[in-house]
Amino acid sequence: MTPGTLVLLHAPNADAAAWGDLPEMLRSYGLDVVAPDVPDGTGPRYIARVSLIVTATDPVAPLVLAAHGAAGPLLPGVALAQRAAHRPVGGYVFVDADLPRPLHLHGEGSPHDDLPMPPDWPEAPCGYLRTHSDRSGSSAHDEAVREARLRGWPVTEHEPPAAVAQSLSELVATL
């Protein structure tokens, strides 16, 4: 698919600088990219702040929401806010990210219990990008890659020397 705008969401309690030069590299591939800087937010607060920042950028639809790390479980809530603002979401990409879980799969008292989860999520295609730098990372990402494959999502295992921007733009094109 060709997104109107690719929205890069950093992990909560990080900042947009975590994406490094990826936004600029993606722009060089002809993509319209927004990388909101969301300070001090987790859960619903992060979702609300992202939504306000995205609205201020006046993005072109459809949006492709790309989440890194712990921002992954927040994608359904961010998507719900975008849909409420009449901005369709055309796809989701998880970059070395945790996957959302339906409420009944969370343990009691889970930090994700208060996250909005639309009943039709995902209503758009999803993909998973595992970067080379993440190979030594958590086994939770191994599980996320396995689960993405089981769901039939395209999974890209990024290999240098190709730029991560190239791998991500190619994955977005497959959605």
Side-chain angles (χ1 to χ4, degrees):
M1 85 162 297
T2 302
T5 303
L6 176 61
V7 180
L8 300 176
L9 302 172
H10 62 78
N13 295 321
D15 59 28
W19 289 109
D21 60 356
L22 184 63
E24 282 307 315
M25 292 180 72
L26 289 165
R27 288 181 188 108
S28 75
Y29 284 97
L31 295 170
D32 181 24
V33 178
V34 173
D37 197 10
V38 184
D40 316 319
T42 59
R45 176 176 274 196
Y46 180 95
I47 292 168
R49 288 182 178 191
V50 163
S51 299
L52 290 172
I53 295 167
V54 169
T55 297
T57 67
D58 195 25
V60 176
L63 305 181
V64 171
L65 302 176
H68 184 259
L74 303 175
L75 280 185
V78 172
L80 188 61
Q82 296 311 305
R83 290 166 53 186
H86 305 288
R87 278 187 291 278
V89 176
Y92 302 94
V93 177
F94 297 86
V95 181
D96 300 329
D98 305 329
L99 298 180
R101 299 274 176 246
L103 290 177
H104 67 276
L105 293 179
H106 293 297
E108 193 168 321
S110 165
H112 300 295
D113 281 346
D114 57 353
L115 295 178
M117 175 72 83
D120 64 341
W121 194 91
E123 78 297 345
C126 298
Y128 198 99
L129 174 63
R130 173 116 187 229
T131 68
H132 181 71
S133 62
D134 186 58
R135 293 292 195 274
S136 61
S138 142
S139 64
H141 292 159
D142 291 335
E143 284 298 316
V145 167
R146 252 189 307 282
E147 185 175 333
R149 284 192 172 115
L150 287 171
R151 291 180 178 201
W153 299 352
V155 173
T156 299
E157 302 249 5
H158 169 73
E159 292 295 336
V164 171
Q166 179 182 351
S167 296
L168 181 54
S169 66
E170 289 171 359
L171 179 58
V172 167
T174 66
L175 299 180

